[in-house]
Each structure stands twice: as structure tokens, then as C-alpha cells.
Amino acid sequence: MFKGRKDIVLSCTLEVTNRKRMSIPANIGEQIHQTFLNAIATGAIKLTETVVEKTKDSHSGMQYLVSYAPSLALKPERKEIGEKRVDPFANPSPNLIVCEDLTGNEQYQLLLNKFPIIPEHSLIVTKEYRDQTEALNPQDLATAFKLIVKLNKVDENRQHLVFYNSGKASGSSQDHKHLQVFELPQNFTPFQETLCSGKEHFLPNIQQEPLQSNKVSFAHFVLPLPESSDDVDEHYLALCYFSLLQRTLSFFQDWLNERPEQTRSYNVLLTQKFICLVPRSNAKTTCNIDRASEDPKYTMGINATGYLGLLLAKTQEAYDTIREDPTVIDRMLLDCGFPNTAGIKPTEYNY
Ligand code: AMP
């Protein structure tokens, strides 16, 4: 049974109080950079070359960055039930380890993503096995946020994103709990940031729902974060996250009759400016207009980054189709999510 928001926050808060204080190395940006250069030099990782194109949906005005990376078709995907699963984070290759103890309290290691398309894409991985379907706890959130702040401080023009794909339909491929961090592309502003621009931070209540853009067709729940990162601690992040999670889970409840088979899957997107949760119904969809033919050439996997506006096509057919008609992106995002609820009055159960 899902506990109430207050119970969860209280139990997580006690957990935090009982834990040793954590601290992330001041030079973590430099450590990531050096480990990445070494890993490239030794061939431990190969940065996948991509063609990236900015594209605009003429109906909604939404901007997207679409990358084409055919060699990523070789990257491991989620194993089907019955297939042997190996945990790649249990004994990571030494060349991929940025930091064995990221927070100085033996909770997380920081690894490089072995299959990056963005340089220095890293993974915050729990030292002990925890499941990717678990909710984020205050320490996960605080670690993610502090890492973002440290990385952003290196150069204020460089903004970083942390994301979490949770559940089978979220686009995740690995079950060992991990959050991912990378630098947002230059000259790219996530629509969630635009949505939060000029808004005061708040916690949702019966009068004030989380923000949702009515330019897109899929449901998403966004909260602006305080302007000063000093005003953001694990308690505040936990309150934001759990109120959005409660909104996300009650959303699944609403759809239980129509989609009884669905798993509780969602994406989390976190920057220094906002936190966003997206409820998910499918990990993959097809971008061809004739959707009766489920040709794998047109199949696209979508994870958290897709809901920020960063799409990845692994086949020429998918890439060409999207470029010819960018309006299919919104349809695909809806296919893998749930309908937007902007403007629908919240009830006392789902604010
Ligand atoms: P997700 O697909 O969201 O579960 O994220 C898994 C992440 O782990 C992706 O960024 C993968 O590219 C990355 N990955 C998969 N296998 C390995 C590995 N052996 N070492 C490091 N990163 C990996």
C-alpha cells in the first residue's frame, strides 16, 4: 500500500537525520573530465558520433533536438523476461569509475556511461544493490542536486540535468538503482524551464496544482525550485518530489480500469531550476504514420530526456520521418505517456 506523503517524508527525514553528513568532492567536475579523457584514450568508452538537428513542431511551437546515432542500435536494451540479466554496475570496469565513494558515506559511486552520445555523461549508482523501481529518497535527491550545483559552478553557462527512469515503461534498461547526469546542450532551453520562468517556488496544494504546459499533449508535473541553491536541501527536495510522485501515482489510479496491465513507471527530470515528473505508459512507440505496421525501423525508445525535448533516433528511417514531420514527436510522447491534464481542476485526492 502506498503510504501518505507526510508518512514518507517523515520516515525519510528521520533516515536523513540518522545518517552521516555527506559531501561531494569540490573538484568533481575535473574528476569526471579526466576519467572521461582516459576512458576515451584507452578505448574503455567510445563516444558515439551523432548528427543533431534542431526541429520545431509547427502546431505547438515546441522545439526539439533530434539526434541520429545508428551505432547505438548495438547498445544493450532492457532484457525480456526469461533472458539472463547481468548487473553492469556490480563490478564496473575500473576505467569507468570516476569516484568510488561520491558522497564520503559509502552510499554512491559515480561511473561514466559506457555508451555516451554526450561527453562526460555519468551515472550516480548506489553502492549496494537497490532496485530502480524504488522511489528516490531524500539522500538520492540531495546528492543529485548537489552534484548539479557543483558542476554548474565550474562555468555558469553550463547547465546540468539529472534524470531517473523508474519502472519498465520509463525507458530504463538497468535494474540497479542509478540516476544519470549530463550537461544540457548549449542553446537548448527545456520547456519546463520556460514554464517555470518568473514563477515563485511553491509546494502544490488544493489551490495550486503543479505546473503543466498546455503546448504539449502529454501529462507532466513541474515545480520551480528556489532561485538560490542554498535554499534547497534534502527536506525541500523530498517535499517537492513526493508531492509530484503522489500526483503521478494518483494519475495511474485514474487509468487503472482502462489500462489494468500498466506498471507504475515514470521519469524524473531535475535541474537547478525545476523538478519534473512524467507518468509513463510505454517505453517505445513507432513514428510512422501508418501505425498498423509496427516496422522496427520506425520504432523509437523514449526515456526521460525525450520529455525534455531531446530525442534519439537509431535508424535512418525514424530520423527522416521525424525531420519530415516534427509533429509526430508530440504524438509519440503522448503514446508513451498519458494525456495532459492542464486546466483540469484537481480534487482533494490528486493535488
Ligand atoms: P537506463 O537505460 O535508463 O537504465 O540507464 C542505464 C545507463 O547505463 C545507460 O546510460 C547505459 O548506456 C549505461 N550502461 C549500460 N551498460 C553499462 C556498463 N556496462 N557500464 C557503464 N554504463 C552502462
Side-chain angles (χ1 to χ4, degrees):
M1 218 345 240
F2 182 64
K3 289 199 242 172
R5 188 197 315 171
K6 280 201 191 105
D7 294 345
I8 290 178
V9 173
L10 184 65
S11 64
C12 291
T13 303
L14 291 173
E15 216 183 296
V16 167
T17 320
N18 293 337
R19 262 194 310 259
K20 201 179 137 196
R21 273 206 86 68
M22 59 162 175
S23 74
I24 292 178
N27 68 343
I28 192 67
E30 187 52 29
Q31 286 190 37
I32 295 175
H33 183 61
Q34 281 309 329
T35 315
F36 181 75
L37 290 183
N38 290 342
I40 292 283
T42 57
I45 60 177
K46 192 170 173 300
L47 182 66
T48 300
E49 296 292 326
T50 53
V51 180
V52 185
E53 190 169 292
K54 208 170 210 171
T55 178
K56 190 169 169 181
D57 179 331
S58 54
H59 290 171
S60 67
M62 287 287 296
Q63 293 214 321
Y64 300 98
L65 278 189
V66 184
S67 302
Y68 173 46
S71 60
L72 272 191
L74 304 171
K75 183 182 148 180
E77 294 203 347
R78 171 165 288 284
K79 295 265 191 300
E80 297 301 329
I81 295 166
E83 280 187 273
K84 193 170 177 324
R85 299 183 67 85
V86 177
D87 177 4
F89 308 142
N91 290 301
S93 155
N95 290 320
L96 299 181
I97 302 175
V98 176
C99 200
E100 275 188 329
D101 184 5
L102 175 64
T103 44
N105 58 359
E106 293 292 334
Q107 296 296 312
Y108 308 95
Q109 52 185 335
L110 191 69
L111 307 178
L112 292 176
N113 173 9
K114 190 173 174 169
F115 306 98
I117 60 165
I118 293 181
E120 304 182 14
H121 178 164
S122 307
L123 313 172
I124 305 167
V125 180
T126 58
K127 295 275 275 186
E128 275 184 23
Y129 182 88
R130 299 182 78 152
D131 205 274
Q132 191 72 4
T133 53
E134 274 185 23
L136 294 174
N137 63 40
Q139 202 184 12
D140 297 334
L141 290 159
T143 303
F145 191 77
K146 285 184 176 164
L147 182 59
I148 291 174
V149 172
K150 285 236 154 88
L151 295 176
N152 287 354
K153 268 205 180 117
V154 176
D155 173 352
E156 61 184 35
N157 293 317
R158 294 175 61 188
Q159 294 294 315
H160 289 77
L161 165 81
V162 164
F163 62 98
Y164 184 58
N165 301 320
S166 183
K168 284 205 176 84
S170 69
S172 70
S173 59
Q174 304 301 331
D175 291 339
H176 184 147
K177 196 177 196 187
H178 60 283
L179 296 95
Q180 311 193 41
V181 58
F182 64 63
E183 183 189 337
L184 286 171
Q186 295 281 331
N187 304 323
F188 177 77
T189 307
F191 77 90
Q192 291 91 341
E193 186 176 322
T194 312
L195 190 65
C196 292
S197 172
K199 306 246 174 27
E200 278 292 316
H201 64 278
F202 68 95
L203 289 170
N205 56 41
I206 189 79
Q207 269 92 38
Q208 207 173 7
E209 264 242 272
L211 304 178
Q212 205 171 170
S213 166
N214 54 14
K215 276 184 161 187
V216 294
S217 58
F218 57 88
H220 56 283
F221 306 108
V222 190
L223 289 177
L225 293 176
E227 206 172 321
S228 166
S229 59
D230 296 339
D231 295 335
V232 181
D233 61 11
E234 62 258 39
H235 304 288
Y236 189 77
L237 286 167
L239 281 168
C240 291
Y241 168 75
F242 284 113
S243 60
L244 297 184
L245 183 62
Q246 188 182 38
R247 186 69 192 83
T248 300
L249 295 180
S250 64
F251 201 88
F252 285 120
Q253 197 62 32
D254 295 346
W255 280 79
L256 209 56
N257 287 341
E258 276 171 69
R259 301 182 183 174
E261 75 298 338
Q262 83 198 346
T263 55
R264 284 174 173 173
S265 299
Y266 63 98
N267 301 123
V268 181
L269 295 152
L270 179 72
T271 71
Q272 210 172 318
K273 299 190 172 140
F274 67 83
I275 178 167
C276 170
L277 263 68
V278 181
R280 294 292 303 273
S281 57
N282 290 301
K284 289 179 183 173
T285 183
T286 164
C287 62
N288 51 340
I289 299 299
D290 174 18
R291 292 159 70 198
S293 93
E294 299 262 316
D295 189 332
K297 288 192 205 122
Y298 296 93
T299 299
M300 298 255 307
I302 300 182
N303 73 15
T305 55
Y307 287 88
L308 198 81
L310 305 174
L311 279 299
L312 175 64
K314 294 182 189 170
T315 66
Q316 184 74 53
E317 288 81 358
Y319 184 58
D320 291 345
T321 309
I322 290 180
R323 283 167 66 220
E324 272 160 35
D325 179 11
T327 62
V328 301
I329 298 174
D330 190 59
R331 200 261 295 147
M332 287 194 294
L333 293 172
L334 176 58
D335 248 12
C336 290
F338 289 90
N340 192 308
T341 55
I344 299 177
K345 242 189 139 15
T347 67
E348 60 181 300
Y349 301 109
N350 67 8
Y351 66 81

